Amino acid sequence: MIDPVTQPFVEFAFMRRALVGCLALSLGAPPIGVFLMLRRMSLMGDAMSHAILPGAAIGYLLAGLSLFAMSLGGFAAGLAVALAAGLVARSTVLREDASLAAFYLVSLALGVLIVSVRGSNVDLLHVLFGTVLALDDAALYLVASITTVSLAVLAVIYRPLVLECFDPHFLRSASALSSPTHLMFLVLVVLNLVSGFQALGTLMAVGIMLLPAVTARFWAEDVSGLILVAVGSAFAASLTGLLVSYYANVPTGPAIILLCGISYLFSLLFGLKSGLIWGLLPRKHLEA
Amino acid sequence: MTLSAHVEPAISFRDLTLGYDRHPAVHHIDVEVVRGELLAIVGPNGAGKSTLLKGIMGELKPLGGSLKLDGLNKRDIAYLPQQIEIDRSFPISVFDCVAMGLWRKIGAWRGLDERGKRDVARALATVGLVDLASRPVGALSGGQFQRVLFARLLLQDASLILLDEPFRAVDTKTIADLIALILHWHGEGRTVLAALHDLDQVRAHFPTTLLIAREVVAWGETHKVLTPANLAKARQLVEAFDEHAEICARDEGEGRQERRPA
């Protein structure tokens, strides 16, 4: 059976690759976004996505369009910024958001400088906006591996991570897992951004991470529910985004992120948990 | 009187000074808390009550002197801080929140078995919140949330319990229930230290009291400690935090007086 939904994927291998890549990404990144949101670190994802740029750029300059070099460079740069920010926050008066802002801006400036001095603007766009329709085997393996590792690690640190978000003081008083958990979580954030920047580019990797997470807040009431809704909505946005980009001939990355944005706006209005529309309807209150 | 010499102290403060940036918040504390004691810590605002509890938790390093916890490690202590950093908007149910109290038993990876679930249910029943078990914590009132925290303390099954102003913004009915719980802990032989400001509560329920005002004003049986003279002295002693304070003279070889229980 060939219909408008399956036809592009049946016909073109690059569409199948893009779909697999996006689905893997949609499985790994949104749960991380849920925890970023719950820790009130939503904007950290954005900052970190900029922070990985110089590493990726240096990788690009040294090895050309080598997936491995760019990913490794991006991972190293992202982790360095996250750790430096965390260290400064824990040992000085500066809060984590402020110290992160300082480091990521330096990192971003460095990245843009490296890319523009040595490469052309086309290269810069390539790094910033990704190449979802040109995912090769190596890129797919990388994205899939990162998703696998990410889900496994998340399962291991799930309980301490929930506690670290909800009541960090209690976790610190009850166990020594507080700092290791925070550290592992930062590693996961950077890993998933690196994975996303393969497919969607640095600027949009954070979109697939956070938009589904904030969307989920309007539908679910516990952490596991949030994760399921976030992953589901990222799946839906990926599939429709690919189809829209195929039929309307628009870039894929922005199409996927815009669809995530549309589902966020829809949830904001009609979400079962505190969607705006419910506040406008006159509804009688319950007995208890 | 629990302060007899042959009983092993659970906590001993020896000339202990605690503070922030070298400025002491409490200094030269010489006190012993024995196992099973129910001790109220009272004093004016800024007297150093919270600082003392933080010191016991190991959150502050002593600026001087020492603090010994006899045979107790961090896991044996349950602590209800005054400034809770809890995110009340976090999507978690009352049941799950209370179940965290079982951390010592289930840690980060073990599942919550039937017995654990029964324990959580019993703790919720003790604080009178069974009906709200599946509600998100964000839906609770201040008093109900304080009951949740007490249910969690209950499950922690700690031999030393530290409570920092546990009755703030809580109605009288809830206070009565929570005090009953504290007395029950006392009956079970747990050591309980509570920083409090309501002297009537202290007089009615706490056998021993430590009155501090940046240093020990009086320590011992509650009725001997909470005298008008001691309370007046405590109010005078809370000096302003002095940015340019000299190095404390008592550390400069001046013979310290042994402070004994009243």
Side-chain angles (χ1 to χ4, degrees), chain B residues 173-194:
Chain B
K173 167 79 172 79
T174 305
I175 291 177
D177 289 352
L178 297 183
I179 285 184
L181 206 52
I182 292 174
L183 294 176
H184 178 71
W185 285 329
H186 181 49
E188 289 177 326
R190 302 178 202 272
T191 314
V192 182
L193 274 64

Side-chain angles (χ1 to χ4, degrees), chain A residues 38 40 156 159-160 162-163 165-175 177 217 221-223 226 288, chain B residues 57 59 74 79 81 85-87 89-92 97 100 103 106-111 135 137 152 156:
Chain A
L38 291 175
R40 297 167 194 222
V156 170
R159 191 180 287 163
V162 167
L163 250 181
C165 302
F166 172 59
D167 188 355
H169 201 276
F170 181 82
L171 182 65
R172 261 178 274 139
S173 74
S175 92
L177 289 175
R217 199 71 165 91
E221 212 149 50
D222 57 40
V223 181
L226 285 173
Chain B
M57 277 307 287
E59 287 176 15
K74 219 174 146 189
Y79 173 43
E85 298 170 37
I86 295 179
D87 176 6
S89 67
F90 193 88
I92 188 171
C97 177
M100 282 177 198
W103 181 277
I106 62 175
W109 300 290
R110 256 156 295 159
R135 289 277 189 95
V137 289
R152 188 170 76 176
Q156 280 184 265

Side-chain angles (χ1 to χ4, degrees), chain B residues 157-262:
Chain B
D157 193 25
S159 49
L160 173 61
I161 299 170
L162 309 175
L163 308 169
D164 196 350
E165 294 288 358
F167 308 132
R168 278 173 319 131
V170 173
D171 65 16
T172 42
K173 167 79 172 79
T174 305
I175 291 177
D177 289 352
L178 297 183
I179 285 184
L181 206 52
I182 292 174
L183 294 176
H184 178 71
W185 285 329
H186 181 49
E188 289 177 326
R190 302 178 202 272
T191 314
V192 182
L193 274 64
L196 295 167
H197 64 269
D198 185 331
L199 298 181
D200 292 332
Q201 273 166 12
V202 175
R203 286 197 184 94
H205 304 291
F206 287 75
T208 53
T209 296
L210 170 64
L211 176 61
I212 55 174
R214 305 188 64 239
E215 59 186 78
V216 177
V217 176
W219 164 49
E221 287 176 63
T222 298
H223 68 98
K224 289 185 190 162
V225 170
L226 296 182
T227 59
N230 282 339
L231 292 170
K233 190 176 162 204
R235 275 194 295 277
Q236 283 163 8
L237 269 171
V238 179
E239 306 133 292
F241 180 85
D242 185 354
E243 192 59 49
H244 305 290
E246 302 284 331
I247 287 174
C248 181
R250 276 182 233 173
D251 282 337
E252 304 287 275
E254 182 190 300
R256 272 187 309 108
Q257 283 183 320
E258 270 302 308
R259 273 174 293 278
R260 301 211 150 273

Side-chain angles (χ1 to χ4, degrees), chain B residues 13-18 26-30 52 62 64-67:
Chain B
F13 306 100
R14 289 266 168 272
D15 194 25
L16 176 71
T17 298
L18 292 165
V26 282
H27 56 175
H28 307 293
I29 304 283
D30 266 306
L52 205 56
S66 71
L67 187 160

Side-chain angles (χ1 to χ4, degrees), chain A residues 211-212 215 237 255-267:
Chain A
L211 278 169
T215 302
I256 293 175
I257 301 305
L258 278 178
L259 279 159
C260 288
I262 289 169
S263 71
Y264 164 67
L265 288 177
F266 175 80
S267 308

